[in-house]
Amino acid sequence: MKQQTCVYLYSEPTAATLDFSSLSDYVKRILPPLKVVVRASFIRFHLSPLTEEALSTLAQDFARAKVRNPLSQARDFPPLPGEVEYERKRLTDPNSKAWGILYDGYKLTGILHRLIPRAERNLSHVHVVFTNQLFGTWDEHDQRYHARVSVYGFPSLLSSTGIVEAPAKPREYYFLKQQYSALGMPDATATQLNTQFQGQFIDHGDERLTEVMKGYVMQAILYRFWGDPFCQDKGCRLHNAHWQQEVISAQLEGPYEFCPLHQERLQQLLGDMMK
Ligand SMILES: [Zn+2]
């Protein structure tokens, strides 16, 4: 048997409805030869205690990873003192949330990559990091950043904020939101719209979050084995959803967990792991 591949799931303490033991059990059910370990949040696990030096460096790095303008792929610029201070506060409080900031997903991956110990920086280790930071990637095609649920790399990042904010809600939602705002009823907006569209998108603190994230964890793991984990089939958990309705179809209401093609590929992968 080959060296056992180990998957690390780094928890996200602010996502109350995310059940990590259930995610871990799911991975072990789909690919039993994998070892799956649930760890504390990434920074807490790899940098505890957080020294003053590490904190300063990280705060600078995260402030630099911030997207200031989603319409411009700005190169390196010195972060403002307030931005660095914000990151320091966020890093020292494990329950803090990075509200309203968009980060560059690949820069975040780069920052975290450097914190992985050398012994775990090889293909026998798959690091899957949950974060509440919202990140995006630059789209060359339409020349702007798009918020994402996930960025696959080393490590892979999954965002509990991204699953709410990145896939688009129904078009009527945005239309009505604009109407209510125009009428000067911003408070009515949130309540009214959330009732009207209940269940049609993944919301903050959504009870369905664990079930939805099972598919994204599998995408992160299969990225390691296949390079391209995505599927065109809208009923497959590997579908790269751009709309909330697609997330719900693929992760909660699909006719199967994986389409016939990916079921077959998973069987092949299992066979390879057992050799
Ligand atoms: Zn598929």
Side-chain angles (χ1 to χ4, degrees):
M1 200 174 175
K2 291 175 187 167
Q3 190 187 352
Q4 192 180 26
T5 303
C6 188
V7 175
Y8 305 100
L9 302 178
Y10 293 91
S11 37
E12 206 279 84
T14 66
T17 52
L18 208 43
D19 177 350
F20 284 88
S21 64
S22 167
L23 288 175
S24 161
D25 290 347
Y26 179 76
V27 174
K28 281 188 269 196
R29 177 163 72 75
I30 303 290
L31 292 171
L34 292 178
K35 186 178 174 198
V36 187
V37 177
V38 176
R39 287 179 165 177
S41 70
F42 189 90
I43 301 289
R44 199 133 285 250
F45 183 84
H46 287 295
L47 284 177
S48 203
L50 194 56
T51 62
E52 178 51 40
E53 193 189 349
L55 182 60
S56 289
T57 310
L58 269 183
Q60 288 273 347
D61 289 347
F62 278 118
R64 259 197 203 99
K66 194 173 148 177
V67 174
R68 284 190 178 166
N69 175 3
L71 300 177
S72 124
Q73 195 183 28
R75 304 291 168 205
D76 257 0
F77 46 78
L80 302 169
E83 291 173 325
V84 178
E85 189 49 36
Y86 174 87
E87 294 298 335
R88 281 183 75 94
K89 282 204 182 112
R90 198 179 59 75
L91 285 162
T92 45
D93 176 5
N95 293 315
S96 72
K97 293 190 183 188
W99 288 118
I101 296 179
L102 181 69
Y103 296 88
D104 181 302
Y106 290 110
K107 284 186 184 167
L108 289 191
T109 301
I111 294 168
L112 302 188
H113 175 79
R114 295 196 290 274
L115 303 180
I116 297 173
R118 206 164 284 274
E120 291 184 3
R121 278 192 211 173
N122 59 59
L123 292 176
S124 299
H125 304 270
V126 182
H127 300 267
V128 183
V129 182
F130 281 84
T131 175
N132 61 35
Q133 285 168 289
L134 181 65
F135 50 76
T137 56
W138 179 256
D139 188 325
E140 283 295 342
H141 179 66
D142 59 2
Q143 293 286 300
R144 57 165 297 164
Y145 273 93
H146 286 282
R148 303 282 180 208
V149 180
S150 54
V151 165
Y152 301 124
F154 200 93
S156 284
L157 305 181
L158 302 180
S159 172
S160 57
T161 310
I163 190 66
V164 179
E165 306 293 342
K169 296 182 175 66
R171 287 188 205 280
E172 309 91 275
Y173 176 94
Y174 298 106
F175 175 73
L176 288 170
K177 192 173 176 186
Q178 212 175 27
Q179 299 277 301
Y180 283 124
S181 295
L183 292 170
M185 301 160 65
D187 288 347
T189 315
T191 329
Q192 176 79 18
L193 289 179
N194 282 355
T195 312
Q196 190 169 343
F197 291 90
Q198 199 174 22
Q200 293 184 42
F201 55 84
I202 305 301
D203 207 351
H204 294 286
D206 203 299
E207 293 294 338
R208 302 167 294 177
L209 189 59
T210 303
E211 195 56 39
V212 165
M213 279 303 172
K214 286 177 183 174
Y216 287 89
V217 168
M218 286 310 298
Q219 290 180 14
I221 294 168
L222 294 170
Y223 169 81
R224 144 70 182 88
F225 290 101
W226 298 341
D228 177 9
F230 298 124
C231 181
Q232 297 293 325
D233 186 327
K234 290 188 174 184
C236 177
R237 279 198 189 264
L238 304 180
H239 184 63
N240 186 13
H242 289 92
W243 291 84
Q244 287 282 340
Q245 187 50 53
E246 291 176 338
V247 171
I248 290 170
S249 298
Q251 307 301 341
L252 302 168
E253 295 173 352
Y256 30 62
E257 296 217 55
F258 301 97
C259 67
L261 170 76
H262 282 113
Q263 280 175 29
E264 198 184 310
R265 289 194 68 189
L266 280 165
Q267 284 309 312
Q268 280 170 4
L269 181 61
L270 260 175
D272 289 346
M273 285 178 173
M274 306 293 271
K275 269 180 199 159

